[in-house]
Amino acid sequence: MWRRQRGQMKLSYGISDFMKMRTTGLLYVDKTAYIEKLEQLNADYVFFIRPRRFGKSLFLSVLEHYYDVKHKDEFSRLFSDLYIGEHPTELRNKYIVLKLNFSALNTGSKTELEASFSRRVIQGIRDCTFKYPEYFDGILIKWDEHITSMMDVGAILLTFLSSVKQTGFKVYLFIDEYDHFANDIIAMGSGDLYKDVIHASGIVRDFYEAVKIGAESVIDRLFITGISPIMLDDMTSGFNISTNLTMHVAVNEMLGFTEQEVRNIMDHIGMDQDREGLMEELRNNYNGYLFNKDGQARVYNPDMILYFFHQWQTTGQFPEQLIDDNVKTDYGRLKRLIANEHNRLLLDEIIQSEKIAADIVSKFSFDQMYDENYFVSLLFYMGLLTIDRQEKTRLLLKVPNYVIKTLFWEFITQRLERNYELHLNTGELRKSIEIMAYEGRIRPYIEYISKHVIIPLSNRDLAGFDEKHIKVILFAYLSESRAYRPVSELENENGFIDIYLERDRRIPDIRFEWILELKYLKKSDAKMLEETKRKGIQQLERYSASRNFGERTDVKQALIIFIGKDELVVVEKTQENVCVTTTVVLSIGCTLSN
């Protein structure tokens, strides 16, 4: 446990208002060097996406306060001790800023979405004009009355830009959550609605065509952000002026925290005990994101890091949950994406292997997202996969960290329980895991999952069944208990351990960790049982003799052999190093028997 100290700097968890952070003493991790970098890239019209809750809105707020002429007199107070305060560019505080945010639009129907979209544009323009009364004085009331009666959102924007032109200023346009309503439509499966508003003659396309026209005269800079490039290809012919910097090596670490930045946060909040142990915990849980194969460093999801430290500051110990509910994946959207059978199988393979070789597609349309490369790319943009490394001609992607693994496992349990109408008794499940953790007996847990999850599977699901499928199911239900951190294919000098059950640091009194060797035999291969058992026991002996486990008495070992879906063999090694074998025949509605 880490102790808090007096005088700690307050964390900015959940806050994306740069002005508030800088004027109320909240911690801000300095990313302002990227203001200079973006200008040096000569990308005046930027398209840049990152996963949910990755600091996009805060970065837009930083840019707003740096470039907005309204904040000119506040430059020193806001930026003097930051990188850009010491290295200001010529464009600082030179623009009228127009901010638009397309989150939480009404996607109930085409009419409701168009009206909601128009209102959001009009409200953003109104907020802008009222923000600068000294520049719009005299035309403000007349103009406000005029746009109220207009229906064409493109014409509304161009009318506003014409008014700006009279002031002599240029516009910096920020568009946040540009794809939020599109993601809602995808989750609902409303392909026709998407095409109506995005494709030719749709209101969204009209808007971006007006932005393109405005860029010829008044809109001098543009920054668009969201979580996927799903609309970029569909808008291309009407809007082809932006530079996609999403995977540019120069901005790999622009959002998210590097390890050094995480260490700096620990300094500011007074976390100074067992620093390396804590860093290892954070690294496993939240790190791993790489957006260019040549990026200098992997980054942590900033929301997850601030959530963790906020919980620690509040309670003085680890948070009860490793992840904030706000970061959790939109399961409705993921469910819709795997309505395609090929994608469902592909997702299963990714979850089982925790990696895949694929090329990341920089833009794609709604119609393409069910194709393999586009589907995998979308998982990358959602933050469910990240770049591992380039291997010859192939780009390898992997699941970035333990928290994302648990999100996948949770998705698997939801799908199993929904498809097979499973109703597990949470109390019984948790008790079986506690027996494993505190009494050192694994059989109750294996039997429970076998009877209540594996047996109900259909013959179709069993067609390609193997150890990987079983492993994912075991992991999924173990992760809910918070007793263990399941590790797949843990490497040691004597090979790769199928499953290593490491005690969760949030429950340090867990008595036993586990080394598990997992085997699966089809009914037709049952004659191979004795040979499979012999080889499995030999593997356990090699693993337990390794330098990491040789002297430990708190690490137990078990071989688990599934034969079909209704029979299993469990071999547990006792304290006296004797193997005890139990054969269990299972069937729904029957009592488990030896």
Side-chain angles (χ1 to χ4, degrees):
M1 182 182 295
W2 292 269
R3 299 297 180 188
R4 291 167 286 169
Q5 297 178 349
R6 294 181 180 179
Q8 295 171 351
M9 179 173 286
K10 293 182 290 184
L11 291 173
S12 52
Y13 174 65
I15 297 174
S16 58
D17 185 335
F18 180 67
M19 172 72 79
K20 180 177 181 179
M21 293 174 64
R22 298 294 287 166
T23 57
T24 60
L26 296 176
L27 176 66
Y28 170 68
V29 176
D30 188 3
K31 294 289 187 178
T32 61
Y34 289 96
I35 295 175
E36 182 182 66
K37 285 188 178 183
L38 288 172
E39 290 191 16
Q40 291 171 348
L41 290 173
N42 293 319
D44 297 336
Y45 307 108
V46 173
F47 178 83
F48 181 81
I49 56 180
R50 283 293 183 266
R52 292 180 61 206
R53 307 286 291 190
F54 224 85
K56 298 183 293 293
S57 296
L58 173 59
F59 190 71
L60 288 187
S61 183
V62 173
L63 294 178
E64 173 198 351
H65 287 87
Y66 179 77
Y67 286 106
D68 196 338
V69 64
K70 192 73 174 179
H71 298 297
K72 184 175 182 178
D73 295 337
E74 299 165 318
F75 180 83
S76 179
R77 178 169 65 142
L78 295 177
F79 294 100
S80 61
D81 60 337
L82 303 178
Y83 176 90
I84 202 66
E86 299 176 357
H87 307 85
T89 67
E90 293 183 1
L91 296 180
R92 79 177 195 189
N93 304 121
K94 297 292 187 183
Y95 293 97
I96 283 177
V97 168
L98 172 61
K99 298 185 299 179
L100 299 175
N101 185 312
F102 291 122
S103 63
L105 298 186
N106 188 335
T107 55
S109 67
K110 179 182 178 182
T111 301
E112 291 171 322
L113 177 55
E114 288 181 340
S116 183
F117 189 92
S118 295
R119 285 195 299 270
R120 192 62 57 86
V121 173
I122 292 172
Q123 188 58 55
I125 290 173
R126 277 187 174 144
D127 291 344
C128 180
T129 55
F130 282 113
K131 184 178 181 182
Y132 307 97
E134 63 272 37
Y135 304 130
F136 292 102
D137 189 32
I139 63 170
L140 184 60
I141 297 176
K142 180 180 178 182
W143 179 85
D144 191 53
E145 292 174 348
H146 179 56
I147 67 165
T148 302
S149 62
M150 297 175 66
M151 299 298 293
D152 187 334
V153 70
I156 291 171
L157 178 61
L158 292 175
T159 299
F160 163 73
L161 296 177
S162 177
S163 299
V164 175
K165 191 172 183 179
Q166 298 177 42
T167 70
F169 282 95
K170 298 284 189 179
V171 168
Y172 199 138
L173 172 59
F174 296 111
I175 301 178
D176 197 7
E177 303 275 10
Y178 97 102
D179 59 335
H180 192 281
F181 61 91
N183 294 321
D184 286 345
I185 293 172
I186 291 170
M188 296 185 299
S190 304
D192 291 339
L193 175 58
Y194 178 91
K195 293 173 183 178
D196 284 344
V197 298
I198 304 295
H199 286 185
S201 75
I203 187 173
V204 175
R205 194 184 186 95
D206 290 345
F207 168 77
Y208 282 101
E209 286 179 345
V211 171
K212 181 179 177 180
I213 294 171
E216 297 173 359
S217 58
V218 184
I219 300 177
D220 193 53
R221 300 186 76 82
L222 167 68
F223 200 106
I224 301 177
T225 190
I227 65 171
S228 78
I230 192 67
M231 288 166 46
L232 194 58
D233 192 55
D234 291 318
M235 299 188 311
T236 294
S237 60
F239 180 75
N240 56 2
I241 62 173
S242 65
T243 301
N244 189 346
L245 295 182
T246 300
M247 296 181 65
H248 197 292
V249 65
V251 293
N252 179 70
E253 302 96 40
M254 186 166 77
L255 299 187
F257 296 151
T258 65
E259 184 156 313
Q260 184 56 54
E261 288 169 338
V262 174
R263 290 180 182 274
N264 292 341
I265 294 174
M266 293 166 68
D267 291 337
H268 282 295
I269 65 175
M271 187 176 285
D272 57 1
Q273 295 181 0
D274 191 18
R275 288 281 292 267
E276 293 311 311
L278 176 59
M279 281 306 308
E280 183 66 22
E281 185 76 8
L282 297 177
R283 196 178 296 122
N284 290 336
N285 289 337
Y286 306 125
N287 194 17
Y289 292 95
L290 191 68
F291 300 100
N292 182 288
K293 62 183 177 60
D294 298 317
Q296 292 186 358
R298 295 187 180 273
V299 293
Y300 295 74
N301 181 303
D303 187 271
M304 293 182 188
I305 287 293
L306 292 176
Y307 163 77
F308 182 96
F309 286 145
H310 174 76
Q311 294 292 311
W312 178 85
Q313 276 195 319
T314 303
T315 66
Q317 54 189 333
F318 278 80
E320 287 292 320
Q321 302 295 330
L322 287 176
I323 184 169
D324 179 4
D325 286 339
N326 292 322
V327 186
K328 288 196 173 182
T329 302
D330 184 346
Y331 291 120
R333 184 180 178 203
L334 194 54
K335 177 184 174 183
R336 183 65 193 173
L337 290 173
I338 63 168
N340 176 305
E341 177 68 8
H342 179 72
N343 284 351
R344 184 187 72 82
L345 296 174
L346 185 60
L347 182 64
D348 285 346
E349 179 61 30
I350 291 170
I351 295 174
Q352 292 160 21
S353 302
E354 300 180 2
K355 57 187 176 182
I356 189 172
D359 294 320
I360 299 171
V361 182
S362 61
K363 62 180 181 180
F364 46 89
S365 68
F366 181 88
D367 293 329
Q368 294 172 312
M369 67 182 183
Y370 296 103
D371 297 339
E372 180 172 325
N373 275 349
Y374 300 99
F375 172 67
V376 175
S377 296
L378 198 52
L379 297 180
F380 167 79
Y381 292 119
M382 292 169 68
L384 299 177
L385 291 173
T386 196
I387 295 172
D388 183 9
R389 66 188 186 277
Q390 183 79 27
E391 188 174 274
K392 296 181 180 179
T393 62
R394 301 188 307 163
L395 185 65
L396 297 183
L397 305 180
K398 67 176 183 178
V399 179
N401 50 53
Y402 180 75
V403 162
I404 299 302
K405 291 177 186 178
T406 65
L407 291 180
F408 274 135
W409 297 336
E410 184 176 317
F411 179 73
I412 287 291
T413 60
Q414 290 182 357
R415 197 177 77 193
L416 285 171
E417 290 168 9
R418 179 179 64 250
N419 290 349
Y420 295 101
E421 298 183 355
L422 304 180
H423 301 287
L424 275 66
N425 184 311
T426 304
E428 288 185 24
L429 174 62
R430 189 174 292 273
K431 183 178 179 180
S432 72
I433 296 173
E434 289 176 349
I435 290 173
M436 176 169 52
Y438 293 96
E439 299 179 23
R441 293 186 291 116
I442 199 169
R443 177 182 153 187
Y445 174 68
I446 301 300
E447 289 180 352
Y448 187 87
I449 294 299
S450 298
K451 180 178 180 181
H452 296 282
V453 181
I454 295 178
I455 283 181
L457 296 180
S458 68
N459 291 330
R460 173 191 171 202
D461 285 310
L462 290 173
F465 212 59
D466 59 16
E467 289 93 342
K468 289 182 179 179
H469 292 82
I470 298 173
K471 184 186 296 184
V472 168
I473 292 172
L474 295 179
F475 279 15
Y477 287 99
L478 273 173
S479 66
E480 294 184 357
S481 74
R482 296 195 301 122
Y484 289 112
R485 300 284 183 86
V487 181
S488 177
E489 300 298 323
L490 178 67
E491 183 177 6
N492 70 15
E493 71 269 26
N494 293 326
F496 293 85
I497 299 172
D498 269 356
I499 300 175
Y500 175 51
L501 299 184
E502 178 184 26
R503 62 172 58 85
D504 193 310
R505 294 184 63 169
R506 291 170 294 173
I507 308 181
D509 68 337
I510 297 294
R511 289 188 60 197
F512 298 106
E513 295 185 346
W514 285 86
I515 294 173
L516 305 181
E517 185 64 23
L518 192 62
K519 305 292 183 183
Y520 176 77
L521 295 174
K522 294 180 180 179
K523 285 288 188 179
S524 58
D525 295 328
K527 59 183 178 294
M528 301 171 57
L529 175 59
E530 289 305 316
E531 178 64 13
T532 300
K533 185 163 57 172
R534 183 184 65 81
K535 290 182 177 179
I537 292 172
Q538 287 178 347
Q539 287 175 284
L540 286 177
E541 289 173 347
R542 289 202 307 273
Y543 301 147
S544 61
S546 67
R547 61 177 177 270
N548 291 330
F549 302 109
E551 303 300 323
R552 292 181 58 179
T553 59
D554 64 328
V555 180
K556 297 186 71 67
Q557 307 151 48
L559 169 65
I560 303 162
I561 306 173
F562 285 81
I563 306 169
K565 68 174 183 178
D566 58 1
E567 186 175 356
L568 62 92
V569 173
V570 180
V571 181
E572 298 183 69
K573 298 192 75 173
T574 67
Q575 294 283 7
E576 295 76 23
N577 211 30
V578 175
C579 292
V580 177
T581 301
T582 306
T583 300
V584 184
V585 179
L586 308 121
S587 60
I588 298 175
C590 296
T591 303
L592 300 175
S593 59
N594 291 342

